[in-house]
Amino acid sequence: MEKRLRAVLHHLTEQEAAEDLQQAPTAGQTAGCSGCGPGYKSPLDAMKGPREEIVYLPCIYRNTDILKPDYLATVDVDPTSPTYCQVIHRLPMPNLRDELHHSGWNACSSCFGDATKKRNRLILPSLISSRIYVVDVGTNPRAPRLHKMVEPVDVFWKCGLANPHTTHCLANGQIMISCMGDPDGNGKGGFILLDGETFEIVGNWEHPGEAAAFGYDFWYQPQHNVMISTAWGAPKALNGGFNPDHVKDGLYGTCISIWDWTTHRKLQTLDLGEEGAIPLEVRFLHEPSATEGYVGCALQGNVFRFFKTPRGDWAAEKVISVPSKKVAGWMLPEMPSLITDILISLDDRYLYFSNWLHGDIRQYDITDRRNPRLVGQVFLGGSLVNDGPVRVISDPENQPQPPPCFIQGKRIPGSPQMLQLSLDGLRLYVTTSLYSGWDKQFYPDMIREGSVMMQIDVNTVTGGLTLNENFLVDFGKEPGGPVLAHELRYPGGDCTSDIWL
């Protein structure tokens, strides 16, 4: 009975997707439309958009000593506002231990040509409970409210998936969410489709039996009929923290998957090998005609460029490497940088990423796509601070151990992790929590004190990063107790959620 139900759901998904593709506007029609639907006509138009005034962040209590629901925080980032740098609203979820993580939209710039679409719902999947929340941010953007909840049993039964991660809206009005596992905690990189109006589960995007071994992030590019997905690890392995033996046991990914966007067929599996272990965030260049992008590979501190070859298939090459440092006083004799988040400016000029263990954020000029050039770096805490227990014995980059980071007299716990760039590229917002299980293992002080949100001023002319010492949101001072704030979203869209056709 279960197999029959899944087959029916999959058939309906294929048929509906084909009908939606026939009805959807072409890229040319979208480009010719001015101010029709949500978002912006092009990435360069988005750079001219208004300055961000508020930011949404999921705040997590799982793996802390506080037994309260996770919540969505709204933070005022308007420097002219009397509540600047303050949490102005909190929307608690109705359940415990969800582990809110990443968020996405019901509609973005991929729906720009459709005047019937509005960016008014924030999709909040729960990484551990597998619950999916739909939040109304349209009625009152400064005070979101819960609109709908999709229960885990629906995710398990209808799709055979669990641990939802990345959300992207599609031009046909549906919503797609990548998943990391199956209901038993094994790795399984499949995708859920939600109806964009009812937010009910439609079914799987991928064909039966074609899910990747592991899942995490994804990005699609219709002009080249491609979608690329990445791989973190089996949820049962990463759930309680990081165990290096699990890497040897094959419980973490080293591959990116290439999919046919129209037929939903998996075309290629590119194994990046040991140097590409744990490929996390994947970013196409924003220009929709581009046939390349970058993926950050956490474990060995490398960034790979993926690209379409003259043969029409896809390949990848390592273009950035942050060497590990030989250390004493840490869990291993070598400390990798652990690249955990990357993003690309809307003009496709700069690539940014965070090194969650080393404690720095780096800015690269990627004008020469195959030869990124380091032009900015700033340390904001991390495991290498010079007054901590770790001593660097050998560093291929010959950098001194950085001092701890203080803002307004507060020592910053943890390390820079999630990033969000302003539309104009001048401000980079940063939070310090990665995932509560790993936070607890690597930065127990952040569990006790809460995470923070910081802001970096960006030199977009020649490159350069400077900490804004007048900006700090301290989530250690929340009314319910210290909390872990994660990914950042602007109501009007941003460079990690909007896709152009």
Side-chain angles (χ1 to χ4, degrees):
M1 179 65 184
E2 181 178 353
K3 291 182 178 179
R4 189 182 306 163
L5 175 61
R6 289 182 181 172
V8 170
L9 283 170
H10 179 75
H11 174 74
L12 288 174
T13 301
E14 277 194 318
Q15 182 177 351
E16 290 167 0
E19 292 172 353
D20 286 335
L21 282 171
Q22 290 175 353
Q23 296 170 4
T26 65
Q29 289 172 328
T30 300
C33 180
S34 177
C36 295
Y40 300 89
K41 181 180 177 180
S42 72
L44 295 183
D45 282 347
M47 292 190 75
K48 304 171 186 174
R51 178 176 173 140
E52 66 283 356
E53 295 182 353
I54 57 174
V55 173
Y56 301 126
L57 305 92
C59 293
I60 296 92
Y61 274 122
R62 184 176 170 273
N63 271 314
T64 72
D65 294 331
I66 299 172
L67 190 61
K68 291 184 178 180
D70 298 347
Y71 59 92
L72 180 69
T74 305
V75 173
D76 188 332
V77 293
D78 178 2
T80 67
S81 169
T83 54
Y84 180 54
C85 284
Q86 295 179 29
V87 179
I88 58 173
H89 186 265
R90 300 168 185 85
L91 175 66
M93 300 300 113
N95 299 281
L96 297 171
R97 301 187 181 93
D98 279 318
E99 186 92 32
L100 298 180
H101 195 63
H102 285 210
S103 61
W105 297 106
N106 66 315
C108 73
S109 292
S110 66
C111 302
F112 181 75
D114 188 346
T116 68
K117 302 299 180 186
K118 293 182 179 180
R119 192 198 308 257
N120 59 1
R121 300 288 185 267
L122 186 67
I123 314 301
L124 269 175
S126 303
L127 189 62
I128 297 302
S129 73
S130 297
R131 195 170 280 111
I132 301 170
Y133 296 104
V134 181
V135 177
D136 176 4
V137 296
T139 302
N140 184 352
R142 298 176 73 86
R145 61 191 185 190
L146 190 60
H147 175 73
K148 186 180 177 67
M149 181 170 60
V150 178
E151 289 289 359
V153 65
D154 292 328
V155 178
F156 301 159
W157 170 246
K158 293 182 180 180
C159 299
L161 293 170
N163 311 103
H165 186 269
T166 297
T167 301
H168 280 301
C169 75
L170 309 186
N172 64 13
Q174 291 183 327
I175 297 160
M176 186 165 159
I177 306 175
S178 61
C179 289
M180 292 178 53
D182 66 15
D184 294 323
N186 303 302
K188 186 178 182 181
F191 306 89
I192 298 169
L193 286 174
L194 297 184
D195 182 278
E197 299 295 330
T198 66
F199 303 102
E200 296 290 335
I201 292 180
V202 175
N204 294 70
W205 180 86
E206 78 281 1
H207 289 263
E210 290 196 5
F214 301 100
Y216 185 71
D217 194 23
F218 74 102
W219 197 282
Y220 65 88
Q221 183 43 267
Q223 280 202 26
H224 303 289
N225 193 35
V226 69
M227 188 264 282
I228 297 182
S229 63
T230 62
W232 185 359
K236 65 183 179 183
L238 59 91
N239 190 25
F242 178 69
N243 183 344
D245 290 338
H246 288 159
V247 178
K248 302 174 186 176
D249 295 338
L251 296 177
Y252 284 91
T254 60
C255 299
I256 60 174
S257 299
I258 315 296
W259 306 78
D260 185 298
W261 184 240
T262 302
T263 66
H264 308 181
R265 292 288 182 187
K266 187 163 58 174
L267 302 176
Q268 291 178 255
T269 299
L270 298 181
D271 192 342
L272 306 180
E274 185 177 342
E275 289 190 318
I278 312 184
L280 295 180
E281 309 296 342
V282 58
R283 311 295 187 206
F284 256 97
L285 295 181
H286 296 289
E287 165 53 48
S289 63
T291 56
E292 59 189 324
Y294 301 89
V295 57
C297 300
L299 195 56
Q300 296 294 331
N302 296 317
V303 175
F304 278 72
R305 168 183 171 260
F306 57 85
F307 56 95
K308 193 174 185 179
T309 74
R311 298 186 305 271
D313 61 353
W314 294 78
E317 61 181 356
K318 185 178 71 172
V319 293
I320 300 173
S321 181
V322 180
S324 298
K325 303 177 190 292
K326 291 184 179 179
V327 297
W330 197 61
M331 63 181 291
L332 297 171
E334 291 194 359
M335 181 188 291
S337 70
L338 208 74
I339 295 174
T340 51
D341 194 20
I342 70 170
L343 56 78
I344 299 173
S345 60
L346 287 170
D347 58 5
D348 291 332
R349 181 178 176 187
Y350 293 113
L351 171 74
Y352 301 85
F353 63 77
S354 54
N355 291 312
W356 193 62
L357 288 178
H358 287 182
D360 61 315
I361 294 174
R362 301 192 181 200
Q363 177 193 26
Y364 284 79
D365 185 322
I366 54 170
T367 306
D368 181 347
R369 309 300 188 199
R370 299 189 67 182
N371 298 286
R373 182 170 56 92
L374 180 64
V375 293
Q377 183 181 25
V378 61
F379 279 86
L380 302 172
S383 297
L384 293 174
V385 290
N386 58 18
D387 65 348
V390 176
R391 181 169 57 90
V392 175
I393 298 173
S394 176
D395 179 5
E397 295 182 310
N398 293 316
Q399 292 184 330
Q401 289 190 235
C405 178
F406 287 86
I407 303 177
Q408 299 173 11
K410 177 182 174 58
R411 180 176 179 138
I412 301 304
S415 183
Q417 207 286 104
M418 290 307 299
L419 308 175
Q420 192 55 263
L421 189 66
S422 61
L423 294 178
D424 59 15
L426 296 175
R427 294 166 300 284
L428 186 67
Y429 295 94
V430 187
T431 57
T432 50
S433 169
L434 170 60
Y435 159 66
S436 69
W438 288 23
D439 292 350
K440 187 174 183 178
Q441 178 180 5
F442 292 103
Y443 294 111
D445 55 337
M446 187 166 59
I447 294 291
R448 296 188 301 269
E449 299 175 31
S451 64
V452 300
M453 176 179 170
M454 300 172 280
Q455 188 239 299
I456 296 168
D457 294 324
V458 179
N459 181 333
T460 59
V461 179
T462 58
L465 303 175
T466 306
L467 175 65
N468 181 350
E469 297 184 1
N470 296 317
F471 186 103
L472 177 68
V473 183
D474 185 356
F475 287 94
K477 296 181 178 179
E478 284 294 272
V483 71
L484 306 169
H486 192 61
E487 194 193 38
L488 308 109
R489 284 274 174 256
Y490 309 135
D494 47 61
C495 65
T496 60
S497 64
D498 276 40
I499 293 176
W500 281 268
L501 305 183

